[in-house]
Amino acid sequence: MIARLRQTLITLVGGSFLVWALLLMVPGDPAGRVLLARGITEPDPAAVGAVRQELGLDEPFLQRYLSWLWHALGGDFGVSWTTGRAVGDEFALRLPATARLMAAAVVLAALLAAALALLAVSGHGRWPDRLSRSLSLLMLVVPGFLLAVVLLDIVVLRLGFGRVISDGTWGTVFLPALTLALATAAGWSRVLRSSLLQARAEPYLQVATARGGSPVRRLFVHELPAALPPFLTLVGLGTAGLLGGAPIVESVFTWPGIGRYVVTAIDARDAPVIAGYTLLAVFIYVVVSTGVDLLVRRLDPRLTTGPRTAKAGAR
């Protein structure tokens, strides 16, 4: 656990430093972008200088970063350069909508992945398997932003289902969550399919078949429990990936979440917001992956078998 916490801290610091360094290399003056975001289209040099002093941009880069990092480790992500409000307050205001979107996307991705994997396994080597692989490939190659625009045009505008402007509630979450889930579900389904086929080839499945076990019983009692650990691990790792794709989807569907807010911050080079979002994404990734790791160890006791247990078994 201590080693995991140390790795987490190193990842948080490294990710935030990389974000600040990349923002430093982007051409243009952040002070001008901030004034533009505040509605001042043609600022004079005095106004630009005042904003630079206000944001601390006249200080050395490393000093600005270390000052921000010290406060961020204490839970203070600083003040947004564009809105003047605390970044933590801005995130807290938009976090419920993003949490709803992420939860719906994970559930949809898991259900779609399970459906595709079971379809492939039920007709392994035949047309159901080929159909499942074709659908997975199609879901992978279609860009998320293109899918979002198509869904808005066909489902919302032409068919009249849903809303053009989402309000962040469960009633409007399906289309943006589906857009996020499709590509993820395609990758998850391939892993679940391979795990199910591997579990089906185990000797104990032949014993269960010889004892007269039905295909449904073999699937739910033997095959799925054996295939779940690698699948759940992939789900945990993919959750942070969904958060990374949220800004584009939230912008297309006007979803009032953190992702859409970060897109605006990127355009204004609002470093405290962007770095805070990076820390949030890494933190969620670590928490979810740790929780999944503990769950997988509960499902598969072999993973918790230590060296002493292994030696005792060998004797």
Side-chain angles (χ1 to χ4, degrees), residues 98-249:
T98 297
R100 278 189 287 270
L101 178 60
M102 292 298 101
V106 169
V107 171
L108 281 175
L111 292 176
L112 288 172
L116 288 172
L118 292 176
L119 175 65
V121 170
S122 65
H124 177 53
R126 304 194 307 273
W127 70 264
D129 193 7
R130 291 191 293 271
L131 176 62
S132 174
R133 285 184 290 180
S134 299
L135 290 175
S136 299
L137 180 62
L138 180 63
M139 291 159 58
L140 276 173
V141 299
V142 176
F145 72 91
L146 178 60
L147 178 62
V149 173
V150 171
L151 288 176
L152 273 177
D153 180 56
I154 297 178
V155 178
V156 178
L157 296 179
R158 299 188 182 185
L159 299 180
F161 295 104
R163 301 178 184 176
V164 176
I165 300 178
S166 303
D167 56 5
T169 61
W170 291 109
T172 58
V173 76
F174 178 74
L175 288 181
L178 180 64
T179 304
L180 271 178
L182 284 180
T184 303
W188 291 0
S189 68
R190 308 314 298 162
V191 173
L192 184 57
R193 171 187 176 274
S194 300
S195 300
L196 286 172
L197 291 176
Q198 183 178 356
R200 181 169 291 185
E202 295 291 336
Y204 63 82
L205 258 297
Q206 300 177 6
V207 175
T209 304
R211 290 179 176 179
S214 65
V216 175
R217 176 177 174 78
R218 294 199 304 268
L219 174 65
F220 287 98
V221 175
H222 300 289
E223 296 173 11
L224 272 179
L228 275 181
F231 177 69
L232 290 177
T233 301
L234 191 63
V235 170
L237 296 175
T239 301
L242 289 174
L243 185 63
I248 296 176
V249 174

Side-chain angles (χ1 to χ4, degrees), residues 275-293:
Y277 182 76
T278 303
L279 288 184
L280 178 64
V282 173
F283 176 76
I284 292 176
Y285 172 81
V286 171
V287 170
V288 173
S289 61
T290 302
V292 170
D293 183 52

Side-chain angles (χ1 to χ4, degrees), residues 48-70:
V48 174
V51 170
R52 288 185 61 83
Q53 185 176 6
E54 173 191 346
L55 303 179
L57 295 174
D58 51 350
E59 300 174 355
F61 163 76
L62 190 58
Q63 180 180 343
R64 298 202 315 266
Y65 168 72
L66 291 177
S67 175
W68 174 87
L69 180 63
W70 175 256

